[in-house]
Amino acid sequence: MGTATPKVGFVCDIVKAFESLPRDEVFGICQWLGLPRAVLALWFSFLSNMTRRFKLGDVIGEPIRSNLGFPAAVDIYFHSYLRVFAPSAIPLSFVDNLELVGSQASKLASATVCIQTWAHMWGLQLDDAKTYTWATTAELRQELQALGWSVRENAKDLGAQITYGKKKSVKEQQSRLDSLDRYWMLLNRTVAPEFQKCQVIFQAFWPRAFHGVANCTLGWSHIKSLRTSAMRALRYNRAGANPAIRLGLLTSSMNSDPGFYQFWSVIVTFRRMLTKQPSLETLWARFMNRWTGSSSHGPFGKMIELTSQVGWSIHAPCLVDHDGIYWHLPTCDETALRRTATDAWLRKLLMKHRFARILMDSRAWTTSFCGRRSTSCRNISRHGFMCCGMAPLSIPPSIRSMT
């Protein structure tokens, strides 16, 4: 997908994927494949003795055993079957999500027949509502439509927004942001302490809103809208209140700010993927060498979007921070990287609002920062008032004594 070669693909989902697989037949196939008998005996003993209970209200039912199906597993036969009967297509799978990637619509069509045959052979049903095809060029999309397939230019795959081709869309990600609307009023009405409300926001609200965002570029207007909603829910929306400063600096955690939460969570996610798939470093470097300066969907484009917000640059597989220090993502210390990311975000906020009234009002400083850690105040003093050789602003006496 990182090359200019046109690609086509097929995506499908299995209905109740592993609830109908016969255990005895699977056990026999596993023995035939040569899996250790001790492991198989332990696994099937667990399945045979595992019980389920129904719960209605506060009443828990009797234990029920089953002799059919598996709780969850990745089918070990799918790839082998496609490798033999459809070698021209690349099979991908994740639990009950099955996909094919190819370069020709005709060969992809024959591979989809193989998937249908394989599913029928195992007594599995493909979910028609979640079955579609995609292509990276208009010509291939027309060929797929002529074959009678549903063709999409963007879709939700494994919970994340996926865009095929040059046309950009954030439809699926926007639906996640909109799903928070019904919860903001509930948070506003609750009588919980302020710090607990902030915890609810960055432990429940932001994970729901930003799930899969590492693969999708998101305009800054969406972050501003989330900040506004959080300010109303926390009852911070007073005259002159700045959402970025209030959520990013004056709460119990910087994670309360959706901008910083997205920034750090994407870095951590990308770093984890680099450690799991070392080949991603080569693809990242190749992408950066060919990057023409235009925005793009995908994890590489997302990293460019976020690092540019704090004045960082990319020298794959390293990030270059605002002090010119290179951070090798797969091996660097995460705690130190977090401190640097925090400093970069503070620098961004306070550089942008260095002339804001909230930074100049001593009463606001006194009431808002009372009780904050001295480390935060030192960061604010260093980045907010004496950054990049600019003339320092006048620091209120109450803050000067804290720093």
Side-chain angles (χ1 to χ4, degrees), residues 1-17:
M1 295 298 291
T3 67
T5 305
K7 297 290 184 180
V8 293
F10 174 82
V11 180
C12 66
D13 195 86
I14 299 176
V15 178
K16 297 183 179 180

Side-chain angles (χ1 to χ4, degrees), residues 35-181:
L35 297 182
R37 294 185 61 87
V39 175
L40 292 177
L42 182 63
W43 181 27
F44 280 85
S45 174
F46 163 76
L47 294 174
S48 301
N49 295 290
M50 181 182 63
T51 60
R52 297 178 176 87
R53 299 171 184 262
F54 287 97
K55 181 179 179 182
L56 298 175
D58 295 330
V59 181
I60 300 178
E62 296 295 325
I64 301 174
R65 286 186 171 87
S66 64
N67 56 8
L68 189 69
F70 296 83
V74 176
D75 194 275
I76 59 177
Y77 320 112
F78 171 71
H79 291 269
S80 299
Y81 186 87
L82 268 294
R83 191 179 301 115
V84 174
F85 294 99
S88 60
I90 302 174
L92 305 172
S93 66
F94 184 81
V95 191
D96 59 350
N97 181 270
L98 307 178
E99 303 189 18
L100 294 172
V101 178
S103 56
Q104 297 180 18
S106 58
K107 293 183 178 180
L108 181 72
S110 61
T112 57
V113 174
C114 292
I115 286 188
Q116 293 171 338
T117 304
W118 173 85
H120 178 73
M121 196 168 53
W122 284 96
L124 302 175
Q125 179 184 355
L126 299 182
D127 191 341
D128 294 335
K130 297 180 180 179
T131 299
Y132 64 90
T133 60
W134 56 266
T136 57
T137 64
E139 293 77 8
L140 288 175
R141 284 192 288 269
Q142 291 176 359
E143 292 183 28
L144 293 174
Q145 289 175 344
L147 292 172
W149 288 107
S150 171
V151 182
R152 300 186 187 179
E153 295 186 47
N154 57 81
K156 182 170 67 174
D157 192 5
L158 298 178
Q161 169 83 44
I162 301 293
T163 300
Y164 309 104
K166 296 181 179 180
K167 186 177 180 180
K168 299 179 178 63
S169 173
V170 293
K171 177 183 177 182
E172 301 298 337
Q173 197 67 45
Q174 182 63 52
S175 66
R176 288 191 171 276
L177 304 183
D178 295 339
S179 67
L180 296 178
D181 292 345

Side-chain angles (χ1 to χ4, degrees), residues 377-391:
C377 295
R378 285 196 296 270
N379 289 336
I380 291 167
S381 174
R382 179 159 62 98
H383 292 304
F385 299 100
M386 304 182 67
C387 189
C388 298
M390 295 183 178

Side-chain angles (χ1 to χ4, degrees), residues 173 177 180 198-214 218 220 223 226-227 244 247-248 253-269 302 306 309-310 338 341-342 345 348-349:
Q173 197 67 45
L177 304 183
L180 296 178
C198 291
Q199 284 183 327
V200 169
I201 285 180
F202 64 77
Q203 290 180 358
F205 280 58
W206 297 158
R208 183 186 183 95
F210 292 118
H211 176 76
V213 77
L218 201 62
W220 192 248
I223 302 298
L226 290 174
R227 282 175 174 171
L247 295 174
S253 172
M254 285 186 64
N255 286 326
S256 300
D257 180 14
F260 179 78
Y261 181 91
Q262 178 193 215
F263 173 63
W264 177 244
S265 63
V266 169
I267 289 179
V268 171
T269 301
K302 186 66 178 182
L306 294 181
Q309 292 176 2
V310 294
R338 166 81 183 204
T342 302
W345 196 259
K348 164 187 164 60
L349 288 182

Side-chain angles (χ1 to χ4, degrees), residues 251-288:
T251 56
S252 57
S253 172
M254 285 186 64
N255 286 326
S256 300
D257 180 14
F260 179 78
Y261 181 91
Q262 178 193 215
F263 173 63
W264 177 244
S265 63
V266 169
I267 289 179
V268 171
T269 301
F270 195 82
R271 180 176 183 271
R272 185 176 68 251
M273 296 308 298
L274 283 175
T275 57
K276 289 184 176 181
Q277 300 181 8
S279 61
L280 197 60
E281 291 187 24
T282 304
L283 296 177
W284 191 17
R286 185 186 304 168
F287 175 87
M288 294 305 301

